[in-house]
Amino acid sequence: MILETRGIGKRFGSVLALRDVSMGVRAGEVTCVLGDNGAGKSTLIKILAGVHQHDAGTLLVDGREVRLTGPRDALDRGIATVYQDLAMIPLMSVWRNFFLGSEPRKGLAFDVARARRVAREELKAMGIDIRDVDQPVGTLSGGERQSVAIARAVHFGARVLILDEPTSALGVKQAGVVLRYIARARDRGLGVVFITHNPHHAYPVGDRFLLLNRGAGMGEYGKADITPQELTSLMSGGAELEELAHELRRE
Ligand SMILES: Nc1ncnc2c1ncn2[C@@H]1O[C@H](COP(=O)(O)OP(=O)(O)O)[C@@H](O)[C@H]1O
Ligand SMILES: [Mg+2]
């Protein structure tokens, strides 16, 4: 287990955003965090990413209890996060974005040739087929942009890759592209935390599934313990909808 939470909780003023959530991330596995809007998914991963500090429970990295001091601390421990907005500059080239904030140096000058080559090679190693690393990131599809962000995290030594709703804004085909790179990162031995509200995206790549409902963990399931139908039903509030259907039935 690279990363683990035990009974973690977080409060924002009077809002209890997260309570008693336990989950784990192993190398070479994908842990999916599922839940409706406002369920606490982003809050949970921001704790894992060092953006927020938890105020209940324990956080463990490599089996040892830690208190992350900030995103830099998390990154130094190999925990990298790709956010929905991606933090990329659309008008800048693919290779430039790849090295944004951590440009390789040759003397004092920026080593452009090396940066281009490394970006091209890393994208290729992830199976990402980008014709021209000089093209602006803004000309890539949404799925390709997510893929570049994933390849970048892998290159800079991530052991845990946290993805906040990487497929939510994408169509079926583009979502498939991103799911393939998630599997690729997993095959390279990374532990992946995949946040989504879509069980159809989670099930094919997930090894374990954590369901969040209004800040509370509704249990962590291994793939063998839950069918796609059960996951979908839990996620879509199956029981609540049945009750509603009963209530609205004509007399
Ligand atoms: N920085 C914050 N300050 C106050 N409330 C917050 C903050 N971040 C999240 N919340 C609240 O915590 C709850 C969970 O939000 P969030 O983690 O963003 O959910 P999700 O990502 O699942 O949609 C919501 O009620 C939200 O309004
Ligand atoms: Mg969110």
Side-chain angles (χ1 to χ4, degrees):
M1 204 90 93
I2 313 179
L3 197 56
E4 193 183 347
T5 71
R6 290 186 194 155
I8 219 123
K10 176 74 186 170
R11 180 181 279 287
F12 296 106
S14 63
V15 178
L16 190 55
L18 225 50
R19 63 174 188 280
D20 197 22
V21 174
S22 300
M23 66 170 294
V25 187
R26 289 181 171 81
E29 278 193 9
V30 180
T31 297
C32 298
V33 178
L34 292 124
D36 226 336
N37 281 334
K41 304 183 296 298
S42 293
T43 303
L44 175 61
I45 62 152
K46 281 177 181 164
I47 290 171
L48 303 180
V51 175
H52 292 323
Q53 289 224 336
H54 53 287
D55 41 41
T58 45
L59 176 63
L60 299 101
V61 178
D62 298 318
R64 255 170 309 212
E65 187 173 350
V66 297
R67 195 154 264 284
L68 299 174
T69 57
R72 185 70 249 174
D73 187 13
L75 213 49
D76 287 344
R77 296 172 193 269
I79 303 165
T81 308
V82 174
Y83 291 102
Q84 273 163 303
D85 59 19
L86 287 180
M88 284 202 192
I89 300 173
L91 288 176
M92 271 192 185
S93 67
V94 170
W95 68 264
R96 206 71 220 214
N97 271 285
F98 194 92
F99 283 100
L100 212 58
S102 40
E103 290 83 355
R105 304 264 154 193
K106 187 171 71 182
L108 287 176
F110 185 66
D111 191 342
V112 171
R114 186 180 120 74
R116 267 210 192 88
R117 196 186 66 239
V118 170
R120 194 177 296 120
E121 284 171 2
E122 278 295 345
L123 291 170
K124 207 167 152 211
M126 286 290 289
I128 302 166
D129 176 30
I130 283 172
R131 297 147 298 279
D132 177 12
V133 291
D134 282 311
Q135 75 186 96
V137 147
T139 63
L140 300 179
S141 68
E144 286 173 330
R145 254 182 307 222
Q146 286 286 342
S147 313
V148 170
I150 293 171
R152 176 168 71 179
V154 172
H155 173 70
F156 287 105
R159 296 190 298 145
V160 175
L161 183 61
I162 301 172
L163 305 166
D164 193 8
E165 308 233 15
T167 58
S168 293
L170 304 178
V172 174
K173 200 162 169 225
Q174 287 290 310
V177 169
V178 173
L179 294 178
R180 278 196 190 87
Y181 298 128
I182 292 176
R184 186 76 70 130
R186 172 202 66 197
D187 292 343
R188 286 179 70 165
L190 277 82
V192 181
V193 183
F194 173 28
I195 289 86
T196 177
H197 58 250
N198 190 332
H200 304 291
H201 291 172
Y203 202 80
V205 284
D207 293 293
R208 46 188 63 240
F209 306 92
L210 170 75
L211 282 108
L212 288 180
N213 184 27
R214 290 186 213 135
M218 304 202 307
E220 202 190 26
Y221 299 85
K223 196 164 203 159
D225 306 324
I226 193 165
T227 66
Q229 291 75 24
E230 286 166 338
L231 190 64
T232 305
S233 160
L234 275 171
M235 261 307 294
S236 59
E240 275 170 52
L241 284 175
E242 247 170 66
E243 249 172 64
L244 185 67
H246 188 75
E247 186 191 317
L248 298 181
R249 203 162 45 200
R250 290 174 199 281
E251 290 306 318

